[in-house]
Amino acid sequence: MAAKIDMAKFAKFCKETGFIFQSSEIYGGLNGFWDYGPLGVELKKNIKDAWWQDMVRNPPPGPDGQEIRMVGLDCSIIMNPQVWVASGHVAAFADPMMKCEKCERNYRADKVFAIRYFDMEQMKELTQEHMAIFGEFKDGKPVSSSSFDAKESLISFPWKVDLTVEADTREDAQVSALSQLTSSQKKLFRQPWPIAYPMMSPAVPEHKRTCPDRTCGGLLTPPRQFNLMFESHAGVVQTDDTKVYLRPETAQGIFANYRNVLNSTRLKLPFGIAQIGKAFRNEVTPRNFIFRSREFEQMEIEFFCRPSESMTWYEYWRDLRKKWYSTLGIQSSNLIPREQGADELAFYSKGTTDIEYMFPFSEEPQELEGVAHRGSYDLEAHAKHSGKADDLAYFDEELWNNDSQTMATRSFKEWLKSNPTAEEIAKYKFTPHVIEPSAGADRFALAVLCEAYHEDKITDAKGNLEERIVMRFHPRLAPFKAAIFPLVNKDGMPEKAMTLYRELKAHFNVFYDDKGAVGRRYRRQDEIGTPFCITVDGETMANDIVTIRYRDEIGADGKPVQRSIAIGEVKNEIWKALATD
Ligand code: GAP
């Protein structure tokens, strides 16, 4: 599990070093919006560049050993609103919410838990059926019908303490509720037994919904649907006809352009279309720094393939995407792929895996990326709504050309006249299946920051123990790849160091620093995660040999290793660290 981090201290560090700022902070900020500072913008750019390079320009060969065909897109954020009707976002992209009538705060209904305490004597009278009602609700619906039978008797059951809390999971809700009991309440129970059930539960209407903020004491409204899409208007007149949405995902731009890409590239199945771009969701409860924001960036691939090969591709992308995070320095033990159970899957999906990361602010792993087998759902939805079914179908020319060799027919059109069965036609003309690896650039940036963050103590020049922070970024993601120092500001060293700096900055983002003692300069670079520090010293002036310090290679003395290398070799040394294999 990732080491716990004091998140307040961590956010302060990210601000002070220039990784992440609160958006419009001088006006009090805006909940759910963040800005990337000078270091943050480099880190995020490196993340997006690494993804583009490894997934779009140079993906590894597919399961059949063949090269993968991938192209990119950059679609507009605002699209024809019909796109969102077809995708289902207008109707269904909504979270049920509850508003406190007193303090007016909004809560996601599935994050609000009602807690009841029974004492142990009463617990003995609860039957299996009673218990079912507490445990088995999903999306507001009971999983087993027996729950409903038990509802009436349960509501009339006496309980001792009633609480409402806000939490991510039932377990967190129980812990939170326990901590809110007064000591005299605790004495009432020999063994307190908090039972938490989500406010979405049908048992809830009978329950008084107090605000989870106990100092408020207001009552919550029943859950109401709340669309997560930001709305705007295209044009000067603000009517329903000019209503548009800021895209809540980049994926739909890919589906909407599927035919344009096919026509302009002459791609053949299987192939992928990738896009990196901003997405907007009016999240009810943005939280955990940049983990859940209202404006964020996604890195999405829609991989189109033959239905018969779709499971092989699903497994390929699931495994490749998990591996990608490890190659960029995320420890495998912090990466947890969670395959969704049959009961969680969307009806059209044959499999979905959430690649989760053990963020230090949470007791449970949280989603970094979803890899979903989406079947033909999206293309078919757009075919239906746009009326362009033919545009969104795929004619498998390669397979047809192959099979038609043995058929007494010259063309597919001519063959259709021979009245083949629907099944026979579907072999050559079908809607491709889609595998969608959908990652969040900001979520990954947060994981990278958390993973890199190390606090330790070192002895300073005066022999005192000094606390410091070292950011152990993978070199590919580090904002600066190297820092160049003249040992002293005389004897021609600054000029030589500046020449080296100028040569390197044509290839990498590097930093020149001639201020303060070298030890201090090392410290400053460790704090912002620079993997290499290169010092121009007397040996450089005499023999063109520089000293290179490797931040993450620790020697027997417990300090970063330093080696002497020819000045002409520095560039290669950095390239080596950036190589992908
Ligand atoms: N097209 C599929 C799709 O959008 P999703 O699971 O809703 O699926 C994909 O989002 C990824 O986008 C998530 O795994 C996460 O990394 C990122 N993401 C989603 N909502 C986010 C938010 N509010 N803030 C930051 N990242 C978010």
Side-chain angles (χ1 to χ4, degrees), residues 249 281 283 291 293 298 300 367-368 436 438 440 443:
E249 61 171 21
R281 294 182 191 177
E283 297 282 3
F291 177 81
S293 332
Q298 290 187 313
E300 296 200 291
E367 181 183 326
L368 261 190
E436 178 188 72
S438 171
R443 281 217 185 147

Side-chain angles (χ1 to χ4, degrees), residues 522 533-535 537 540 545-549 562-565:
Y522 283 154
C533 291
I534 298 143
T535 307
D537 51 23
T540 324
I545 301 287
V546 294
T547 306
I548 178 161
R549 172 186 181 267
Q562 300 194 12
R563 291 195 191 95
S564 299
I565 66 166

Side-chain angles (χ1 to χ4, degrees), residues 456-468 517 519-520 523 559:
D456 69 9
K457 290 199 170 87
I458 51 155
T459 317
D460 67 13
K462 294 182 187 136
N464 301 321
L465 266 190
E466 191 187 348
E467 256 202 30
R468 61 159 193 166
R520 271 272 144 238
R523 219 84 74 241
K559 292 185 178 156

